[in-house]
Every structure is written in structure tokens, then in C-alpha cells.
Amino acid sequence: MPAPPPGEPGQGSPATRRRGEGLLRAIYTATIDQLAACGYSGLTMEGVAASAGTGKASLYRRWASKDDLIIEAVNHVLLGAADLPDTGSVRDDLLDLLRRTTEVVASPTGCAFYALMRGNPSERDFAMLAKKRLMQPRHALVLELLQRGVERGEVRPEAVTPLIGHVGIAMVSHLIMLNDGQVTPDDLVLIVDDILMPIVRVRDDQPSKSSTTRSLSG
Amino acid sequence: MPAPPPGEPGQGSPATRRRGEGLLRAIYTATIDQLAACGYSGLTMEGVAASAGTGKASLYRRWASKDDLIIEAVNHVLLGAADLPDTGSVRDDLLDLLRRTTEVVASPTGCAFYALMRGNPSERDFAMLAKKRLMQPRHALVLELLQRGVERGEVRPEAVTPLIGHVGIAMVSHLIMLNDGQVTPDDLVLIVDDILMPIVRVRDDQPSKSSTTRSLSG
DNA sequence: CACATTAGATACGATTGAGTTCACTACGGC
DNA sequence: GCCGTAGTGAACTCAATCGTATCTAATGTG
């Protein structure tokens, strides 16, 4: 139950109802929590209303359906900032970015977004929205970070690919799934040092063409 | 609706009901399909019965609850074979294994298992069971394959880690999620050649200690 | 063929949730 | 303080589902 906002100064009577923005925020949060807890199929208007500490009538006054509510909640819920780190080294940038990405992915909001992205084809619109808000900005940051590494001579130009841009977050979400929502700081260091850096960094044996990669493993 | 089995020879009257094993198989399949379609929360006994073309009474005759049914279905549903490929090169072994893993992960059964693994803490027992049947055998195969590559001099010994063993399947499941269930053969080749091989293969600049990895990226 | 068992269809009472309505009252602005 | 609006709680009808029970008939075995 959210704490009621303080009453007017000098009036001594605290307000007992939320109104407007405060209630909206509680409803969005409740929607995300329900999505994280039981996915799209399991989310009910009753559950959202109960979790938000309000009544169904307040939901239906604003949204005609569960779908409308979800779309708006996904659009408006707060996500962590998506900024490009600048530590001076690609390794440390990747680590910093991966930490921040992990915080978001491991949060209830992250869980809710993943639930939408993994839904079945009838839930495609939600999936696209979740990808647009959660995945695309962070993916773009990784590629930008790698490109900057290329310009610094730290990263192979051939490593700046959409696929390689997904490795970090793929590993994090996989570990979260396998380890009951837990990823340790050590895990992140290992992902960067043992997986990402071997892939992206300029090598001493670096030829300029990726076709040589195949003949080496031939 | 499953095709009815042929009638007795010479009798001309096809059977209209399944019995025993045939019905069990249909129920397991229906359970997995429902899990894949609407997750644990959304799965109903009515839905499973309808999908299996049977009645609820046949379900309740065998299982006291939805949970009991799910546990048994997860235990008994067929998964693709988990065999160690032997193509003569680590690269081709990884590709072969990744193809087979992808077939399973992208199937309705794979979807159902992932739905269970990503459920909330109250569904932990299901998650553990799904990990045990789907993830562990395939993870073990990757490590075994990498270890064999070490013995052949193709793979760095430091690359045979639990974390690196997860990279392939993490990437595949991530792409499936992002691309509406689709992963192309080209994607798999890129995962092997651009991600897995750079991580695992013996390098021309190969020192024997992994601590040098960090100072190179420092 | 006779018989025991199982499958399938249906109905039932209870519960949950969707969507709606209503009465009361809290709240903010004037 | 007055008034219009929004929030709250409860009740309502309808649909879906749960778990149970019953009946008919399909099926396999001796």
C-alpha cells in the first residue's frame, strides 16, 4: 500500500486518496509487477487493481482493455538511463555498460519486458514495443562503444556487428534465467574478459580479413 | 485432432478412442503446447483436455492437479537426441551441435521449457526440472566437445569453462526471442565463426596464462 | 461372446475474473 | 464554502474454469 502523500501544511488532515499522476504511477508499477509475476496470460485487471491499491472502475475509466493498459504501462514505466560510458578503455566501458544493463534486466521491469518479448505470436505488438524500449537503445550503445574502440585501435572493425552487439545481454539474461534471477559482479567480469574481449579486441595475429578466421579453424 | 489408429484388420471399423499410451502421449503433447502458448499461469486443465481431444475426467483420473500433470509431461516429453558430434574439427562440431540445439530450443517443447525456466519463484521446481532435462545435457556436451578440442590442440584449455559453455545456447535463445522464433542457418554459422571460435581457439599469440588476457585489454 | 476397465461427453456447484453500474465521498480549483 | 470531477468500494451479470460425479459406450482380454 503506497504511503499517502502529506496533507496540506497546517491542515493536519493527511490526504487518503491519490489522484492523477500519483495514481497513474501506481497503476503502471502494478501492471509491470503483475507482468513480471505471471506474464501476459496471467495478468488480470483485478490483480493490477489490487496491486495498485485501487478499484477496477479507476482502471476502466482510463483504459478500455487489458491490452491498452499494458501498452501504456510499457511506454511509460521508467527504465534505467542508457548512456555511453567513457572510462578510457573498451574493457572497462563494456563492464560498466553491462552492469547497468544487468540492473535493468534483473529488475521487475526487465522481467516484465522479457515476458512480453517471449510471448506467443498474438502478443507481437507488445514484444515489438518491449524490444524498442529495452533492447534497441542498449544494443545501439554497445555498437557505438565498439565503434569508438575501433577508432581507438582497441577493437577489430569486423567485430562491430549486430550479432556481436547482442552477446553481452544474451549472456546476462541467460544467467539470470539459470541462476534464479542472480548474476554476480564476478560473472559480469568473466563475461567481459573471457567472452566479449576475445571476440572484439585487436589481435597480435590480426589479419585485416575475416575470411582468414575460417581457414584458421578449418 | 490426432488421427485415429487403424481398426482391426478385416473388421472395417476404425477405433474412435485412444487408450493407455496413445492417450498419454497426446496429453503430454497438449500440455507442452499449452505451456508454450500461454505459460504456466495461462495453462488450464480445460485447455489441455481440449487440445488433447479428451475429457477432463481422463486427466483427473491420472493426475490430482495441474502441477502433477506438468511435472510428468516435462519428464516424459521427447527431446531431441543429445549426442556428441564428431566431424573432425571443433568448428564443425560446434556448428552441428548448435544446429541440433536450435531445433530443440525453437520447438514448442523448447518454448514450454523456457517458459518454465523463466517463471517466478513459486515455479522453481518446474524450472529445475526443465533445466535438468534441457540445459544440463546440452551444456555438458559443449564442454565435452571443447575438452576434446583441447586434446586435439584446437582449443585453449582456459576456454573450457561453465560460462563459455553457455554462449551458444544463450545466443540462440536470444535470437529466437528477438526474431519471432526464427534463427537462420547463416545466424548459426556466424555465432560459431564470429563468437565461439574467437573465444575458444588456440591463438598464435597464445600465452599459457589467462591473466595475460586482462593486461592485454587493460 | 462376455466382462471389466477405461474413455469421452455432459452436467453440476463453486470460484474467479471481465466489464459495468451506482452511491458515496475525497479532492482541487474557484 | 461550493461545485464539479475523480476515486473508492461494492454489487451485479455473464463467461470461463475447477474439480467432481454420472452415464454411455468403446476397447482389450480371456
Side-chain angles (χ1 to χ4, degrees):
Chain A
M1 186 54 100
E8 273 145 353
Q11 285 295 322
S13 166
T16 61
R17 289 182 185 179
R18 292 147 309 174
R19 207 169 160 96
E21 267 304 310
L23 181 60
L24 262 189
R25 238 177 288 119
I27 293 171
Y28 294 149
T29 299
T31 303
I32 295 298
D33 289 347
Q34 291 289 303
L35 272 174
C38 29
Y40 175 82
S41 290
L43 180 140
T44 64
M45 299 300 264
E46 296 242 17
V48 171
S51 178
T54 187
K56 281 194 291 181
S58 299
L59 300 190
Y60 283 108
R61 187 175 291 122
R62 294 170 167 79
W63 298 286
S65 67
K66 162 177 161 176
D67 287 6
D68 291 346
L69 167 60
I70 289 174
I71 286 172
E72 193 162 321
V74 169
N75 264 317
H76 286 91
V77 74
L78 297 179
L79 289 175
D83 304 316
L84 192 58
D86 194 354
T87 62
S89 85
V90 163
R91 186 257 178 189
D92 292 340
D93 285 346
L94 283 174
L95 191 53
D96 191 56
L97 185 55
L98 202 60
R99 275 202 192 107
R100 283 195 260 158
T101 298
T102 302
E103 277 173 28
V104 176
V105 170
S107 71
T109 303
C111 292
F113 276 49
Y114 267 80
L116 293 177
M117 290 187 281
R118 289 161 179 152
N120 60 59
S122 63
E123 296 153 31
R124 168 164 300 169
D125 288 348
F126 301 119
M128 287 178 57
L129 193 50
K131 287 174 202 169
K132 186 177 164 193
R133 281 218 71 203
L134 182 63
M135 308 306 293
Q136 281 175 18
R138 283 154 193 82
H139 186 246
L141 277 187
V142 174
L143 293 184
E144 200 177 338
L145 190 158
L146 292 178
Q147 186 56 44
R148 196 172 59 182
V150 169
E151 286 151 18
R152 287 177 173 159
E154 290 184 72
V155 173
R156 301 182 297 122
E158 318 87 66
V160 189
T161 72
L163 189 71
I164 289 172
H166 288 300
V167 174
I169 195 166
M171 286 307 300
V172 164
S173 60
H174 196 69
L175 289 184
I176 286 170
M177 178 183 81
L178 290 183
N179 300 326
D180 299 325
Q182 305 301 315
V183 184
T184 69
D186 285 350
D187 291 330
L188 300 185
V189 171
L190 286 177
I191 291 172
V192 169
D193 290 342
D194 289 358
I195 296 174
L196 290 174
M197 291 309 300
I199 296 169
V200 302
R201 75 174 162 238
V202 170
R203 302 170 186 145
D204 290 353
D205 65 339
Q206 176 81 11
S208 62
K209 290 201 58 183
S210 63
S211 63
T212 317
T213 308
R214 288 198 184 84
S215 59
L216 281 180
S217 62
Chain B
M1 184 52 102
E8 274 145 348
Q11 288 292 323
S13 166
T16 60
R17 290 181 182 183
R18 294 144 307 174
R19 203 167 165 98
E21 267 304 310
L23 180 59
L24 263 188
R25 240 178 288 117
I27 294 171
Y28 294 150
T29 299
T31 303
I32 295 299
D33 288 347
Q34 291 290 303
L35 272 175
C38 29
Y40 176 82
S41 291
L43 179 139
T44 65
M45 298 299 263
E46 296 245 12
V48 171
S51 178
T54 186
K56 281 194 291 183
S58 299
L59 299 190
Y60 284 106
R61 190 173 293 123
R62 293 171 169 78
W63 300 286
S65 67
K66 161 178 164 177
D67 287 6
D68 291 344
L69 167 60
I70 289 174
I71 286 173
E72 194 163 321
V74 170
N75 265 317
H76 286 91
V77 76
L78 297 181
L79 289 176
D83 302 317
L84 191 58
D86 194 356
T87 62
S89 86
V90 163
R91 187 256 181 190
D92 292 339
D93 284 346
L94 283 173
L95 191 53
D96 191 56
L97 185 56
L98 202 61
R99 276 203 189 105
R100 284 196 259 158
T101 298
T102 302
E103 277 173 27
V104 175
V105 170
S107 72
T109 303
C111 293
F113 276 49
Y114 268 80
L116 293 177
M117 289 188 281
R118 289 162 180 152
N120 62 58
S122 63
E123 297 153 28
R124 168 166 297 170
D125 289 348
F126 302 119
M128 286 177 60
L129 193 50
K131 287 173 201 170
K132 185 174 163 194
R133 281 217 71 204
L134 182 64
M135 307 307 294
Q136 282 175 18
R138 283 158 191 79
H139 186 247
L141 276 188
V142 175
L143 294 185
E144 198 176 339
L145 189 159
L146 291 179
Q147 185 57 45
R148 196 170 62 182
V150 168
E151 286 152 19
R152 288 177 173 158
E154 291 184 68
V155 172
R156 302 182 296 121
E158 318 86 68
V160 189
T161 71
L163 189 70
I164 289 172
H166 287 301
V167 175
I169 195 164
M171 286 306 299
V172 164
S173 61
H174 196 71
L175 289 184
I176 286 171
M177 177 184 80
L178 290 183
N179 299 327
D180 299 326
Q182 306 302 314
V183 182
T184 69
D186 286 350
D187 291 331
L188 300 185
V189 172
L190 287 177
I191 291 172
V192 170
D193 290 343
D194 289 357
I195 296 174
L196 291 174
M197 292 309 298
I199 296 170
V200 302
R201 77 177 161 235
V202 170
R203 302 170 186 144
D204 289 353
D205 65 338
Q206 177 81 11
S208 63
K209 289 201 58 184
S210 63
S211 61
T212 317
T213 308
R214 288 199 182 83
S215 57
L216 281 179
S217 62

